[in-house]
């Protein structure tokens, strides 16, 4: 009997260890304090702040700062998704990890586009993303791998089975204010 109890306790322990908290970022990238609610719970976010909130799988409701009710579905592995009560456009930036020089890296070069933000023209691997709920799939890395408040890795080196290096691109989501501060060198002249 003790043997079965030990096995049961170990099984329960292993199952609970695999359950990570499912957190989304309730974000206010604006210069004003806002109020909103998620599933009836009120939140006040000061200017340029965020709050991580725990999310369960299923349908949810975001009530925006303007009182609009927006339904969204949360599924497992969407940790790091952004609840965007201000409907701000965020920026996705692609970073390439490779030994291939830029002038020879044609796949990465295709990501470079003219990109306008607040009347300023940038040139780089940038795209805008918006919506009241910006869902991220952390397992697939879509539409971004690195969440708000999470920096790019300095280096990533992956190898094929034949020990050759893999050319890999990862994406990160930025608030407009952070993007402008980080990517001033990409302003087109």
């Amino acid at each position: 009997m003790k043997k079965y109890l030990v096995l049961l306790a170990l099984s329960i322990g292993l199952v609970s260890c695999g359950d990570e908290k499912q957190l989304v970022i309730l974000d206010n990238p604006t210069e004003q304090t806002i109020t909103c609610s998620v599933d009836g719970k009120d939140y006040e976010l000061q200017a340029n702040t965020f709050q991580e909130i725990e999310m369960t799988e299923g349908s949810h409701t975001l009530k925006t700062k303007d009182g609009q009710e927006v339904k969204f579905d949360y599924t497992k592995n969407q940790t790091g998704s952004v609840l965007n009560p201000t409907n701000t456009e965020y920026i996705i930036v692609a970073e390439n990890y490779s030994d291939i020089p830029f002038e020879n890296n044609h796949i990465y070069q295709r990501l470079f586009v003219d990109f306008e933000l607040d009347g300023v023209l940038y040139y780089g691997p940038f795209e805008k993303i918006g919506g009241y709920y910006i869902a991220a799939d952390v397992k697939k890395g879509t539409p971004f791998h690195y969440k708000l408040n999470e920096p790019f890795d300095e280096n990533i080196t992956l190898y094929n089975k034949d020990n050759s290096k893999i050319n890999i691109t990862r994406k990160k989501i930025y608030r407009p204010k952070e993007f402008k501060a980080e990517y001033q060198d990409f302003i087109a002249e």
Side-chain angles (χ1 to χ4, degrees):
M1 181 69 173
K2 286 183 184 178
K3 183 177 176 181
Y4 293 112
L5 289 175
V6 170
L7 286 173
L8 178 62
L10 285 173
S11 298
I12 291 170
L14 287 174
V15 169
S16 65
C17 286
D19 288 340
E20 284 185 35
K21 281 188 177 179
Q22 298 291 309
L23 299 174
V24 297
I25 297 173
L26 180 61
D27 198 44
N28 177 15
T30 70
E31 298 298 326
Q32 298 87 30
T33 298
I34 64 165
T35 57
C36 62
S37 69
V38 179
D39 297 333
K41 183 175 179 183
D42 293 332
Y43 294 91
E44 181 176 281
L45 295 171
Q46 299 300 313
N48 297 302
T49 64
F50 68 93
Q51 184 171 345
E52 290 185 322
I53 60 175
E54 200 164 344
M55 195 62 46
T56 58
E57 288 186 68
S59 294
H60 298 276
T61 304
L62 167 69
K63 190 170 184 181
T64 70
K65 67 180 187 81
D66 301 322
Q68 180 180 355
E69 288 194 3
V70 178
K71 303 266 187 221
F72 66 96
D73 290 324
Y74 180 85
T75 60
K76 192 173 182 177
N77 298 326
Q78 287 185 343
T79 274
S81 296
V82 179
L83 278 170
N84 181 14
T86 61
N87 202 22
T88 298
E89 283 189 315
Y90 290 76
I91 297 90
I92 303 286
V93 176
E95 181 68 37
N96 190 255
Y97 297 90
S98 172
D99 288 342
I100 302 170
F102 178 77
E103 57 274 1
N104 297 333
N105 194 336
H106 304 296
I107 293 172
Y108 186 51
Q109 285 179 15
R110 284 188 226 149
L111 299 176
F112 277 63
V113 295
D114 286 331
F115 175 86
E116 188 176 326
L117 180 64
D118 295 337
V120 177
L121 187 63
Y122 296 82
Y123 181 72
F126 312 131
E127 61 185 283
K128 290 182 184 176
I129 189 167
Y132 289 105
Y133 180 61
I134 303 171
D137 186 324
V138 295
K139 297 286 185 196
K140 295 179 182 173
T142 54
F144 51 87
H145 300 86
Y146 298 97
K147 302 171 271 201
L148 290 172
N149 313 315
E150 180 180 18
F152 275 115
D153 285 317
E154 281 294 316
N155 297 298
I156 297 177
T157 305
L158 298 174
Y159 295 92
N160 285 316
K161 290 179 183 178
D162 65 357
N163 282 334
S164 62
K165 289 185 180 177
I166 296 174
N167 179 12
I168 188 167
T169 300
R170 295 281 191 233
K171 294 182 177 182
K172 176 182 171 19
I173 187 168
Y174 282 90
R175 296 172 184 93
K177 185 176 182 176
E178 293 168 342
F179 173 83
K180 290 176 194 176
E182 184 78 20
Y183 291 94
Q184 292 178 15
D185 292 345
F186 287 78
I187 295 175
E189 308 241 347

